[in-house]
Amino acid sequence: MNTFKRKRLLAAGAAGAALAGTMALQAPALADPDDSADVRVTVDIEEIREPGVLAMSIAGDSVALSEDGSTLLVRQFVGTLPTVTVTDTRTEEEVPAGAAWAVLGSATDFTGSAGQAPISAGHLGWAPRLLDGGDTGLVTEGEEVVTVLDEPTQPGNNVGLVDQELLVSTFDSGAVADDSYSVNADLYLRTPAEVAAGEYTSTLTLSLFE
């Protein structure tokens, strides 16, 4: 065999060996059927918290006054304001700095169902009474407001419920937040003895302000 032919055979053999070696390196490995792993997935979902609110509720929508304590000169009719509850579900952080809330009340004139002359709201008075003021001592009832037929218990308070009169309040909303407070009031209507007989109606409006 000549030298040139021998070199061609050796080169072909080497190439075949190289090719065979390459194919052996690329062959896929067989996986173990029991070769597996788990990944634990967790999530922490927080409860949705709605912002707190300041609100007022009243345990009733009417009061029937009945005669009690009349004299020869003045007829008196008394009753009790339904319990008023102020609820604040806000946290202290949700309350604006320096905020204060108050419940105020005012009444319309009493109108007669049969055309009687009206009775001025100045004849209607009240004495607020705090039922539950919490533990802070920062929620207080308003002063008594007497009628135009009474001697004033303090200057300017014998006007009746003709304007917005204080029922209950606090000067620091943040300090009393996240709690509820309740109050009512003794109501009394005082009229001259000669007031016309018949049914009368007035509307007492209570408003919560902050």
Side-chain angles (χ1 to χ4, degrees):
M1 182 181 296
N2 60 40
T3 303
F4 178 74
K5 186 174 181 180
R6 185 179 180 184
K7 288 181 177 180
R8 289 184 61 189
L9 289 173
L10 290 173
L19 180 60
T22 301
M23 292 177 64
L25 289 174
Q26 292 179 346
L30 296 177
D32 186 341
D34 295 327
D35 187 10
S36 64
D38 297 329
V39 176
R40 184 166 176 256
V41 180
T42 64
V43 61
D44 185 6
I45 300 177
E46 295 185 359
E47 181 181 357
I48 296 176
R49 177 176 173 81
E50 297 292 338
V53 295
L54 177 67
M56 178 184 69
S57 61
I58 306 174
D61 58 6
S62 63
V63 181
L65 304 181
S66 57
E67 189 162 11
D68 184 30
S70 295
T71 68
L72 293 176
L73 299 177
V74 176
R75 297 185 69 175
Q76 176 172 270
F77 307 85
V78 300
T80 302
L81 181 72
T83 297
V84 177
T85 300
V86 176
T87 301
D88 194 348
T89 59
R90 300 172 297 180
T91 63
E92 185 173 356
E93 292 72 23
E94 290 177 310
V95 179
W101 57 255
V103 177
L104 307 178
S106 60
T108 63
D109 292 344
F110 287 79
T111 57
S113 60
Q116 309 98 299
I119 302 172
S120 166
H123 291 269
L124 179 66
W126 71 8
R129 179 170 52 248
L130 189 64
L131 302 177
D132 183 359
D135 300 324
T136 65
L138 300 178
V139 175
T140 56
E141 72 269 31
E143 298 288 341
E144 180 178 11
V145 177
V146 297
T147 78
V148 293
L149 296 184
D150 299 308
E151 291 293 328
T153 56
Q154 59 180 352
N157 81 329
N158 64 328
V159 293
L161 300 181
V162 297
D163 202 353
Q164 293 185 329
E165 301 294 341
L166 180 62
L167 178 66
V168 63
S169 68
T170 182
F171 61 84
D172 189 346
S173 296
V176 299
D178 196 22
D179 209 340
S180 62
Y181 309 93
S182 58
V183 63
N184 64 9
D186 294 327
L187 299 175
Y188 45 85
L189 176 69
R190 292 173 179 154
T191 71
E194 62 273 16
V195 64
E199 184 181 74
Y200 294 81
T201 302
S202 169
T203 299
L204 175 58
T205 300
L206 298 174
S207 303
L208 172 63
F209 296 95
E210 183 177 63

